[in-house]
Amino acid sequence: MADFPLVYERSKAGRRGAQPPAPRRFDLAGALGEENLREAPPRLPEVSELDLVRHYTQLAHRQFSIDANFYPLGSCTMKYNPKVNEEAAKLFSDLHPYQAPETAQGALQLMYELQRDLCAITGMDAFSLQPAAGAHGELAGVLMIRAYHESRGEGEQRRVVLVPDSAHGTNPATAAMAGYEVREVPTGPGGEVDLEAYEAEMGPHVAAVMLTNPNTLGLFERRILDLARVAHAAGALLYYDGANLNAILGRVRPGDMGFDVVHLNLHKTFTTPHGGGGPGTGPVGVKARLAEFLPVPVIERRGDEYVAVEDRPRSIGRMRSHFGNFGNLVRAYAYIRALGREGLRQVSGYAVLNANYLRVRLKQLGFRVPFDRVNMHEFVAQPPEGLRTLDVAKALLDHGMHPMTVYFPLTVKEAMMIEPTETEPLETLDAYVEALRQVLERAARDPDYLHGAPYDTPVRRLDEVKAARQPVLRYRFPEDEAA
């Protein structure tokens, strides 16, 4: 960014913000080998504390965040994270994963009770908190499905996983990573899984079906009990992608719909922070017949003691070190306990209400809604004829709003997936509608306007393909350039 220097470009020789302690006498050459020692100190930026604070504070102000901006990113549930959850997580900051269990009973009790809460919320019989993200939870779930079929002598027979064509991209990727052949099931004309095509694909070769409900079109799969019945009759298992759980929280449970395995995104539904690469948390839950395959450790209560159980011979093993992203577990626990049963039910109610409000208002503006019925927590729209989704998304940046998810699901041309979440007030939703109205009005007056947006952001429209494929991740020192 030409108008914003890198921290290296702020560097002045001899300037510093802190003085590290003098190095202790230690034979580094003896420990590391003479050939591994540096010949010159690392070329770190030399800045004062004030330089450093201003640099990163100014960078932070250039970012979009839920704390500062409306963030209706479809299928990502960018809801507000209550700050009390952060305070709760701080209470455990002195714990170390290697300390003796008898000295960490409070933390183990929290994890045990969170496992039970997630079972009650989803209708599952057992949970493991190990996976560190949604896709990580998916992998754990599919590995358990594979272990289950292998334990029944059907591992070689069941080599196919069925995935709807509107599924999150991680679903087919996960199944393929676990060694399965992925077969796609088309969406029917109403936006739900084509039941006839689904039945045609089903058989004794199928290991599992990966679904999310509501689906990525924001529509509830009304024939979910039929989908489950067909899968179970063929001996296949039903996997629930929990990315869209926010829509049904406290009202419908995946376990009651017939799902056998579920992963949850605590960083979506239960307000632990997310975005920018993590940290996420993706616990997995199962029905009783799959409980022995859960990742370890699983937290159990034995009398008055809480223990992290590792000795489970048929477990798929650990998915990561220690106890998962424990800080996020604390945040999710605080959120669930603060809201309680009725509060969680209100979450889904307001999330669905907000999304339907926007669907109707956008349709009034001229946006097209391909599946125009009552939706769940999100919906998919298309811009008016002649406009491109990417242009509309970029224009919203000039209004201080994060764009919607664009071009997903792939089954809808020029898709705009919008998820406002339950934490946004009516005034914010109306402001979003007004921003879109202004974008359309400006585009009608000046057809080239949208192609150049955004105009007021720190950087204009970027070559996103080049940025992804040829990222510049290293600073080139002027003296190196001159040489």
Side-chain angles (χ1 to χ4, degrees), residues 172-234:
T174 298
M177 182 177 287
Y180 284 108
E181 175 188 347
V182 179
R183 292 188 187 173
E184 196 172 85
V185 180
T187 298
E192 300 179 35
V193 171
D194 184 326
L195 184 57
E196 186 174 336
Y198 174 80
E199 289 178 317
E201 288 286 356
M202 188 57 68
H205 57 289
V206 176
V209 182
M210 300 184 78
L211 290 172
T212 185
N213 196 17
N215 61 30
T216 59
L217 293 164
L219 304 177
F220 191 85
E221 295 280 355
R222 292 170 291 194
R223 293 177 296 188
I224 184 59
L225 296 181
D226 291 330
L227 296 172
R229 173 182 52 76
V230 171
H232 290 155

Side-chain angles (χ1 to χ4, degrees), residues 70-384:
F70 184 39
Y71 215 125
L73 196 62
S75 213
C76 287
T77 314
M78 305 297 283
K79 65 168 74 173
Y80 173 70
N81 305 319
K83 297 300 176 258
V84 68
N85 298 351
E86 303 299 318
E87 294 301 316
K90 289 179 186 175
L91 298 174
F92 295 85
S93 59
D94 290 338
L95 282 177
H96 192 282
Y98 285 136
Q99 72 183 71
E102 58 270 23
T103 67
Q105 284 294 293
L108 292 171
Q109 179 181 354
L110 184 150
M111 288 190 285
Y112 172 77
E113 293 182 358
L114 181 58
Q115 288 175 178
R116 290 169 58 91
D117 287 352
L118 296 181
C119 284
I121 290 169
T122 60
M124 292 292 158
D125 297 314
F127 253 87
S128 168
L129 307 175
Q130 263 274 299
H136 204 206
E138 284 185 30
L139 180 60
V142 174
L143 291 178
M144 285 191 287
I145 288 171
R146 190 175 73 182
Y148 169 80
H149 288 309
E150 288 174 348
S151 73
R152 295 163 56 87
E154 297 181 349
E156 294 301 318
Q157 167 194 331
R158 298 185 181 276
R159 301 305 309 156
V160 171
V161 170
L162 301 183
V163 178
D165 59 3
S166 63
H168 293 116
T170 51
N171 290 177
T174 298
M177 182 177 287
Y180 284 108
E181 175 188 347
V182 179
R183 292 188 187 173
E184 196 172 85
V185 180
T187 298
E192 300 179 35
V193 171
D194 184 326
L195 184 57
E196 186 174 336
Y198 174 80
E199 289 178 317
E201 288 286 356
M202 188 57 68
H205 57 289
V206 176
V209 182
M210 300 184 78
L211 290 172
T212 185
N213 196 17
N215 61 30
T216 59
L217 293 164
L219 304 177
F220 191 85
E221 295 280 355
R222 292 170 291 194
R223 293 177 296 188
I224 184 59
L225 296 181
D226 291 330
L227 296 172
R229 173 182 52 76
V230 171
H232 290 155
L237 297 177
L238 206 57
Y239 181 91
Y240 184 79
D241 176 340
N244 291 344
L245 186 72
N246 210 52
I248 60 172
L249 199 59
R251 296 172 186 274
V252 184
R253 306 191 307 173
D256 298 335
M257 290 189 267
F259 286 93
D260 303 287
V261 182
V262 56
H263 91 262
L264 303 181
N265 299 72
L266 298 190
H267 47 286
K268 294 183 180 181
T269 311
F270 300 104
T271 73
T272 67
H274 68 304
T281 313
V284 283
V286 293
K287 288 294 190 181
R289 58 178 167 160
L290 287 127
E292 60 184 338
F293 304 108
L294 279 169
V296 291
V298 173
I299 313 302
E300 294 183 1
R301 181 175 182 175
R302 295 176 179 174
D304 294 330
E305 185 183 12
Y306 298 93
V307 295
V309 179
E310 302 260 8
D311 185 19
R312 296 168 66 99
R314 304 189 82 173
S315 164
I316 62 169
R318 277 185 169 272
M319 294 299 293
R320 56 152 294 160
S321 59
H322 308 312
F323 299 94
N325 280 329
F326 179 71
N328 276 1
L329 302 181
V330 177
R331 293 178 177 95
Y333 180 81
Y335 178 76
I336 292 169
R337 291 301 173 114
L339 291 185
R341 182 189 299 271
E342 186 54 34
L344 294 176
R345 181 178 169 83
Q346 288 179 355
V347 163
S348 56
Y350 285 123
V352 171
L353 179 63
N354 280 359
N356 277 281
Y357 179 78
L358 281 186
R359 174 181 57 83
V360 173
R361 293 294 309 275
L362 263 63
K363 188 179 175 187
Q364 292 170 346
L365 288 179
F367 287 88
R368 296 167 290 162
V369 180
F371 301 100
D372 191 15
R373 70 180 223 205
V374 174
N375 53 271
M376 300 299 288
H377 67 311
E378 63 189 4
F379 66 100
V380 174
Q382 297 164 298

